[in-house]
Amino acid sequence: MPRRRVIALLINSAGLRDDYQGHLCRGVDQACAERDIDLWVYAARIDWVMAAGAQLEVFRLLSSRRVDGVIMAAGCIAAAHSVNSLLTDVKTRLGVPLCVVGQTC
């Protein structure tokens, strides 16, 4: 049996509230449901505290064997390294389609 298609949505930890990211998450969830695609949400910290190791491990869970595409709310993610570094890492390591909201890549 083939594995279901999966889209990963990268937001910050406040993204489940009823704000910009909450609306983005619900819209992506609805679009995925209409297309029979699973949505996995990966939440990063919203501040720059030094939880770098643990936070980056969340993003390292992304794998082309697990996800078929990535949507990143880049303007909202704070990471231990720059968002550009995170974008480069996701693009080169995964090799799956990437949609970036709030920043060009």
Side-chain angles (χ1 to χ4, degrees), residues 18-38:
D18 194 22
D19 59 6
Y20 166 76
Q21 288 186 103
H23 291 291
L24 177 65
C25 190
R26 282 191 299 281
V28 171
D29 185 44
Q30 181 179 348
C32 285
E34 290 169 358
R35 292 160 179 81
D36 198 31
I37 299 172
D38 287 341

Side-chain angles (χ1 to χ4, degrees), residues 72 83-91 98 100 103-105:
M72 180 185 299
V83 174
N84 285 336
S85 296
L86 179 59
L87 282 168
T88 299
D89 178 58
V90 169
K91 285 194 304 191
L98 172 65
V100 180
Q103 182 171 330
T104 58
C105 61

